[in-house]
Amino acid sequence: MLLDITPLRVSRDYRLLFIGQLVSFFGSMMTFIVVPWQMYELTGSSAMVGYIYLAEFVPMLVLAVIAGALADFVEKRRLLRLTEFGQAAASATLLANSLLETPYVSVLFICVAVHAGLAAIQRPAFESFIQKIIPPELISSVMALNSIRWSIGAIISPAIAGIIAVKLGPSVAYALDLVTFAATIYAVYAVSSVPPPENAERPSLDAIRKALRYAKSRQELLGTYFIDIFAMFFAMPQALYPALAVIYGERYLGFFPAAIALGALVASLTSGWTKLVHRHGVLVTAAAVLWGFAIIGFGLADGIVVALLFLVAAGFFDMISGIFRGAIWNQTIPNHLRGRLASIEMVSYLTGPMLGSAKMGIVAEWFSVKIALVSGGILCVVSVLAAALFLPGFLRYDGRDGIRRRHEEEEAHAGRKAEE
């Protein structure tokens, strides 16, 4: 079945955010490609490229859980506006640094850290905003549409960014990124106000602990966290793109992330069947295992065409996993906890790529690019299967039961608040 675009038809606010982020993400993906390339050009080290993702991880981890508590209490548009302006300022700093005769490596680290910290604040607000404006039965369709938005930018933009970085230099890419922020800034000023839930809990350590206890109590949530962390930590190849471009040819720098995005796009465009499937845990596990096998194939490939085809397959399976993980999160978590749980989700799906990229760069530096990729894919498959076996409730999870549970928990919460 083809893509379901119902959320775009029924929600003006979702349309605004979708279009705004589509334009802005096009520019952000240029920066995503150019910063590692600039680092590799300045240092000649895959390990230093990997440390970029470590620099992103630290502020993301520190701010994510706090941001979730804020998203459940503060008016969400305010957080979205603040973070968009902050990320635009980080891009402007990258542009200024790139215009120097000798750009500072330290500025690259600082800017990616600031950008990641602001993303950590933004994501829970965005997720809880979407849950308020889109009915739960359409969340799988929203996940697919969001992936379409991501895929379009991630296919076209990296290829262009690779050419720009090699032929024109990083400054042009950073300038284009800065210009595209206008679209999302307009969107976050045009959307309707979505106030926090009635009797929302003030941000506090106790509020954060409640969210952590809730997540720990549900195996279907734990499964989404651990399986994605294992899959991305062991097998995420993004830190190796500059080194791979040296191996295959500099003109292919943007082709590697674009191939993953192309696979994700194919998965999204053919995702209509996902709303008919209810065994979400089984699908997340299977897709993560197949992602690992695709990365093994990528590492063993002996030509650019075969390598890119394996990355297309990897992107396809990663998106299938993402659609079902997103459905579990957004269909089943009660609204009064949505912001805090969104922050935990963000920690889970960014921990793997960020720490895994640092690990991948170090392994490639010590051994080789091929060993880093193949060993990572093997460890991904083994760890994902082990996690699924230790979480039988995740494998048994049925999405219809999750929706019923969410409604029951929201009614119970409203009753408790009324009594108070």
Side-chain angles (χ1 to χ4, degrees), residues 3-11 14 134 138 141 145 275:
L3 181 69
D4 179 16
I5 63 170
T6 303
L8 289 170
R9 292 202 304 265
V10 301
S11 174
Y14 180 68
I134 297 293
L138 292 177
S141 299
L145 284 166
K275 63 183 178 181

Side-chain angles (χ1 to χ4, degrees), residues 213-394:
R213 286 196 298 269
Y214 181 83
K216 186 178 178 181
S217 71
R218 292 181 53 182
Q219 283 198 9
E220 63 270 27
L221 295 181
L222 293 177
T224 64
Y225 305 152
F226 284 113
I227 284 178
D228 191 48
I229 288 173
F230 292 149
M232 296 296 108
F233 176 77
F234 289 115
M236 183 49 131
Q238 64 187 8
L240 302 182
Y241 294 158
L244 287 163
V246 172
I247 294 171
Y248 287 112
E250 290 183 352
R251 63 186 179 280
Y252 295 117
L253 173 64
F255 282 53
F256 304 113
I260 288 183
L262 177 59
L265 179 61
V266 173
S268 301
L269 290 173
T270 58
S271 64
W273 61 273
T274 59
K275 63 183 178 181
L276 305 177
V277 177
H278 306 294
R279 296 294 300 276
H280 297 166
V282 172
L283 266 295
V284 169
T285 303
V289 167
L290 291 169
W291 152 271
F293 279 119
I295 296 300
I296 294 171
F298 176 51
L300 294 174
D302 57 2
I304 186 63
V305 174
V306 175
L308 292 175
L309 287 175
F310 273 114
L311 281 185
V312 170
F316 180 92
F317 295 123
D318 183 45
M319 183 51 63
I320 295 298
S321 172
I323 288 172
F324 285 108
R325 281 184 285 113
I328 292 173
W329 297 334
N330 288 293
Q331 287 180 344
T332 67
I333 296 170
N335 186 255
H336 65 279
L337 289 170
R338 188 68 195 95
R340 281 165 284 174
L341 268 294
S343 68
I344 296 173
E345 294 152 17
M346 182 170 58
V347 170
S348 75
Y349 65 69
L350 292 180
T351 293
M354 290 178 179
L355 292 184
S357 292
K359 181 269 303 177
M360 195 72 85
I362 293 169
V363 173
E365 192 93 348
W366 287 352
F367 299 99
S368 70
V369 170
K370 176 175 285 190
I371 289 175
L373 290 169
V374 174
S375 64
I378 292 171
L379 289 170
C380 164
V381 172
V382 172
S383 61
V384 165
L385 290 174
L389 290 175
F390 276 101
L391 294 168
F394 175 66

